[in-house]
Amino acid sequence: VGGTTKRPTIADVADAAGVSKTTVSFAFNRPGRLAPATALRIHDVADSLGYRPHPVARMLANRRTRTIGILTPQTLSVIFENPHFAAFSAGVATAVQASGYGLQFISPVHGSLARGIGWATVDGVIVVGLSPRHREVEHVRRVGLPMVLVDSAAVPDQPSIQIDDVGGAQLAAEHLLSLGHRSVLILSFEPPEGCGGEADVVATRRLTGYQAGFRAAGLRLRDTWVLAAPSTIAGGAAAFHRSWEDGLRPTAVLAMSDAMAVGAMQAAREHGLAVPSDLSVVGFDDIELARFTDPSLTTVHQPIHRKGEQAVEWLIALIDGSRRSMAGERLATRLVVRSSTAPALAAPPRTERG
Amino acid sequence: VGGTTKRPTIADVADAAGVSKTTVSFAFNRPGRLAPATALRIHDVADSLGYRPHPVARMLANRRTRTIGILTPQTLSVIFENPHFAAFSAGVATAVQASGYGLQFISPVHGSLARGIGWATVDGVIVVGLSPRHREVEHVRRVGLPMVLVDSAAVPDQPSIQIDDVGGAQLAAEHLLSLGHRSVLILSFEPPEGCGGEADVVATRRLTGYQAGFRAAGLRLRDTWVLAAPSTIAGGAAAFHRSWEDGLRPTAVLAMSDAMAVGAMQAAREHGLAVPSDLSVVGFDDIELARFTDPSLTTVHQPIHRKGEQAVEWLIALIDGSRRSMAGERLATRLVVRSSTAPALAAPPRTERG
DNA sequence: TTGTAGGCGTTATCAT
DNA sequence: ATGATAACGCCTACAA
């Protein structure tokens, strides 16, 4: 129970075993190059001393950390509570683990992402939800850190995972319109904090898709029926309540995330509305929960898990310098019709007040 | 543009600015000790060169990483999809970020946690769901890495966050029994993989609590009515289906996690059962979703977020050597009665077959 | 206010 | 099969 004795180093082991540091290093990293007996003895000595190679020193000498980072502008705590991000992280984690890499979450330190990056020991980063022209993205590029963009916008010469937000959103809108809905409330993401007024690219694309759907039906979106909220269950619920108090009486909701959609369904119930007979709801993402709500949620499926895996694969290719085909065909989205949508009532209430 | 040019070092900056390495270092770490003009000039030069201090070298010289690790026996991917773990991580992340630390997830490399630890650059670890006598825990202790145990068992001289699993489970059981239920299906965690046959301590404690509740009512658990499943929505659903096919006809379900409870509710609906009139369901954890299911879920609340924060606080105290009061009063649990439980029907079906 | 020199613990190169 | 020595990039007494 030595307490705070100094941590043994490779030199201590070398001394105790009567060999050189090189030999000890070999015992751990290239056991094949050593006489079996020597290797064994060294490991015994190391164990008895409680020695293990110092990871940081190892990284410095190797000039690689075998760790990749996930970079987001949001606070870590909101991230884990966001089902979409959690699922994405799961995809990333799967690929990372398969490649024998470590995973680090990089978030703003004292509000500064740059500072966070400055302390992160990673070989490359996956950047989520940041515009390619964002300050911090430029920073990473200048620093020369390998990087893959996700949920961002496409720029040439910059690997980025694209998904078909516009197409998916359009399908969602068309579905609702074809069911006869004309009073549609749109629940949009709130622009992420600390983003310097930059419009959230994903929200913009999805809105564009909704618009396209409306236009195809000869209609157009009304600004009053677009509400921004945090992409959470509570956020969606609050937004729906707000719209109700403002006198809006939608027959359908188009939510940019499943979390918001679930919140809207919950809020609707509290106002005595039945889903889908009184109110249809369409989400986005197709998180696991969407199959398990009551009624199950009609939503736009995107390959969240795959998105994470592909980001890692590309990033590691970038790190290894093995420039593989990073041709950016965008990942497809598709509408999944479940039980939260139904035809609009014959005479949908069109009033905007009372 | 430059492609693969060598990364600039502190020496390059020193040369370009016509000062010594020390001065450059001061410019970054102790700006106060420098003439303002000098500091400014150095920063300019550094920027134009694209220099940033190398995090790994920094760690080596400082002998601290300013990063803490979360250690779990599970695959990272299952972890993020588990709402309870996600919420716990959020709590950890909150505290970590407030302390200016980084966060790293450590998971088995090639099936070995020890190998994962060997490569992790952390000042200390939070160990989740591992028995104090687990091989890997012993390993961490021997290595002398500061450590806080969570969802584990209490041992003297080892900081660990305790929550009142037994008491909470007992409350849940008593609630159901007092409503007249006698045919109760228990959904238990599956023992985590790679745990070497070691019983999962949390599951054991909760089962003990259920038992205590039954005993207090003069009853006892029947083994046939305890089913193990993965702690997920799908796992809970599958388990309920299985029990139904086995001819079990419970009037109530006692699930060790909210995820499993939600799954059971979903499965019950598919068998034409209404919750709570035909089947009462009680969960455990009180995740955010529990308030938003339909019907909302009666469950045992535990302070998940707080659990994460406290783990970090203690760990950092350990790292800093500021031995604060780590007196282990266990965090309280309490029953939250919502809408998923109701009195049992007058004549509960007691048959175990058909 | 700034510079000199040694150390942090490891791996890699090149001998022997 | 093993060893001496020089990186790796930074920090920090201590000296000037």
Side-chain angles (χ1 to χ4, degrees):
Chain A
V1 194
T4 319
T5 63
K6 195 178 140 300
R7 168 186 182 141
T9 75
I10 199 172
D12 297 328
V13 179
D15 285 353
V19 296
S20 77
K21 293 195 299 177
T22 308
T23 309
V24 177
S25 178
F26 279 165
F28 278 88
N29 303 314
R30 307 218 207 301
R33 286 204 176 140
L34 243 44
T38 321
L40 217 64
R41 184 163 47 91
I42 291 177
H43 270 113
D44 281 351
V45 173
D47 280 354
S48 74
L49 255 50
Y51 166 81
R52 81 184 163 126
H54 192 121
V56 176
R58 203 119 100 154
M59 285 180 180
L60 185 60
N62 281 337
R63 259 148 321 199
R64 64 184 311 183
T65 65
R66 291 210 150 273
T67 300
I68 74 159
I70 295 190
L71 195 69
T72 85
Q74 337 240 357
T75 303
L76 283 183
S77 67
V78 326
I79 279 170
F80 292 118
E81 321 235 45
N82 175 331
H84 166 253
F85 193 90
F88 174 75
S89 302
V92 168
T94 303
V96 155
Q97 210 160 4
S99 322
Y101 273 68
L103 180 59
Q104 185 151 128
F105 284 82
I106 305 173
S107 60
V109 174
H110 307 309
S112 156
L113 256 183
R115 197 135 29 193
I117 298 166
W119 281 94
T121 55
V122 297
D123 293 332
V125 293
I126 295 172
V127 177
V128 185
L130 244 39
S131 150
R133 275 178 311 263
H134 191 284
R135 277 189 71 252
E136 313 296 354
V137 174
E138 300 272 21
H139 180 77
V140 174
R141 198 199 319 274
R142 222 178 22 251
V143 155
L145 207 55
M147 161 174 65
V148 171
L149 261 32
V150 173
D151 285 349
S152 183
V155 291
D157 263 14
Q158 173 56 62
S160 66
I161 312 287
Q162 299 292 322
I163 83 142
D164 187 11
D165 287 299
V166 177
Q170 178 165 356
L171 289 176
E174 286 171 352
H175 172 61
L176 243 30
L177 293 169
S178 75
L179 287 171
H181 293 279
R182 290 297 177 273
S183 306
V184 179
L185 173 67
I186 293 182
L187 263 30
S188 161
F189 294 146
E190 221 161 38
E193 313 164 33
C195 225
E198 181 124 29
D200 180 9
V201 284
V202 174
T204 310
R205 278 200 300 275
R206 294 191 185 166
L207 196 58
T208 304
Y210 292 151
Q211 252 159 354
F214 272 70
R215 203 161 26 222
L219 306 168
R220 58 183 199 77
L221 293 187
R222 275 170 297 183
D223 291 341
T224 37
W225 293 70
V226 178
L227 249 59
S231 182
T232 61
I233 297 181
F240 188 87
H241 283 308
R242 191 150 32 101
S243 83
W244 196 262
E245 281 155 20
D246 284 354
L248 266 44
R249 292 295 179 269
T251 67
V253 171
L254 224 33
M256 285 196 189
S257 78
D258 287 350
M260 286 194 285
V262 171
M265 286 204 289
Q266 163 72 9
R269 259 197 304 272
E270 291 179 13
H271 288 296
L273 300 177
V275 177
S277 53
D278 297 327
L279 183 79
S280 287
V281 177
V282 182
F284 207 118
D285 289 344
D286 195 19
I287 60 178
E288 189 199 10
L289 179 61
R291 291 185 303 138
F292 291 105
T293 54
D294 183 31
S296 59
L297 186 66
T298 294
T299 189
V300 178
H301 176 89
Q302 66 159 314
I304 309 180
H305 209 269
R306 179 75 201 118
K307 198 165 68 168
E309 289 178 278
Q310 188 165 91
V312 174
E313 287 161 14
W314 286 13
L315 183 56
I316 290 183
L318 226 51
I319 293 171
D320 292 347
S322 58
R323 288 204 148 275
R324 262 185 278 174
S325 73
M326 301 211 275
E329 4 75 88
R330 59 188 64 220
L331 300 173
T333 53
R334 66 172 195 277
L335 184 70
V336 180
V337 179
R338 298 205 179 89
S339 316
S340 65
T341 47
L345 297 175
R350 296 254 201 132
T351 49
E352 294 201 12
R353 292 277 149 216
Chain B
V1 185
T4 318
T5 64
K6 197 177 138 302
R7 169 187 180 138
T9 75
I10 198 172
D12 298 327
V13 179
D15 285 354
V19 296
S20 77
K21 295 195 296 177
T22 309
T23 309
V24 178
S25 177
F26 280 166
F28 279 87
N29 303 313
R30 308 228 203 297
R33 286 203 175 139
L34 244 45
T38 321
L40 217 64
R41 183 164 48 89
I42 292 178
H43 270 113
D44 281 350
V45 173
D47 280 353
S48 74
L49 256 51
Y51 167 81
R52 80 184 166 126
H54 192 122
V56 176
R58 213 132 79 163
M59 285 179 179
L60 185 60
N62 283 337
R63 260 154 320 222
R64 64 184 312 184
T65 65
R66 291 211 148 274
T67 300
I68 73 158
I70 295 191
L71 195 69
T72 84
Q74 336 238 358
T75 303
L76 282 183
S77 68
V78 325
I79 278 169
F80 292 118
E81 321 235 46
N82 175 329
H84 166 253
F85 193 90
F88 173 75
S89 302
V92 168
T94 303
V96 155
Q97 210 160 4
S99 322
Y101 272 69
L103 180 60
Q104 184 151 129
F105 285 81
I106 306 173
S107 60
V109 174
H110 307 309
S112 156
L113 257 184
R115 197 135 27 193
I117 299 166
W119 281 94
T121 55
V122 298
D123 293 333
V125 294
I126 295 172
V127 177
V128 184
L130 245 39
S131 150
R133 276 178 310 264
H134 191 284
R135 277 188 72 251
E136 314 295 353
V137 174
E138 301 271 22
H139 180 77
V140 174
R141 197 200 319 274
R142 223 180 18 252
V143 156
L145 205 55
M147 162 174 63
V148 171
L149 261 33
V150 174
D151 285 349
S152 183
V155 290
D157 262 14
Q158 173 56 62
S160 67
I161 312 288
Q162 300 292 323
I163 83 143
D164 187 11
D165 287 299
V166 177
Q170 179 165 357
L171 289 176
E174 286 171 352
H175 172 60
L176 242 30
L177 293 169
S178 75
L179 286 171
H181 293 280
R182 290 298 177 272
S183 306
V184 179
L185 173 66
I186 292 181
L187 263 29
S188 163
F189 293 147
E190 220 160 38
E193 314 164 32
C195 225
E198 181 124 30
D200 180 10
V201 283
V202 174
T204 309
R205 279 200 299 275
R206 293 191 185 166
L207 196 59
T208 304
Y210 292 151
Q211 251 159 354
F214 272 70
R215 204 161 27 224
L219 307 167
R220 60 182 198 77
L221 294 187
R222 274 170 297 183
D223 291 340
T224 37
W225 292 69
V226 178
L227 248 60
S231 183
T232 62
I233 297 180
F240 188 87
H241 283 308
R242 190 150 32 100
S243 83
W244 195 263
E245 282 155 20
D246 284 355
L248 264 46
R249 291 295 178 270
T251 67
V253 170
L254 223 35
M256 286 196 188
S257 78
D258 287 350
M260 286 193 286
V262 171
M265 286 204 289
Q266 162 72 11
R269 258 198 304 272
E270 292 179 12
H271 287 295
L273 300 176
V275 178
S277 53
D278 297 326
L279 183 79
S280 286
V281 177
V282 182
F284 208 119
D285 288 344
D286 196 18
I287 61 179
E288 189 199 11
L289 178 62
R291 291 185 304 136
F292 291 105
T293 55
D294 182 30
S296 59
L297 187 66
T298 294
T299 188
V300 178
H301 176 89
Q302 65 159 316
I304 309 181
H305 209 269
R306 179 76 201 117
K307 198 165 67 167
E309 289 178 278
Q310 188 165 91
V312 173
E313 286 160 14
W314 285 13
L315 183 56
I316 289 183
L318 225 51
I319 293 171
D320 292 346
S322 58
R323 288 205 148 274
R324 262 186 277 173
S325 73
M326 302 211 273
E329 3 75 87
R330 58 188 64 218
L331 300 173
T333 53
R334 65 171 195 278
L335 184 70
V336 180
V337 178
R338 297 206 179 90
S339 317
S340 65
T341 46
L345 298 176
R350 298 255 200 132
T351 48
E352 294 202 13
R353 292 276 149 216

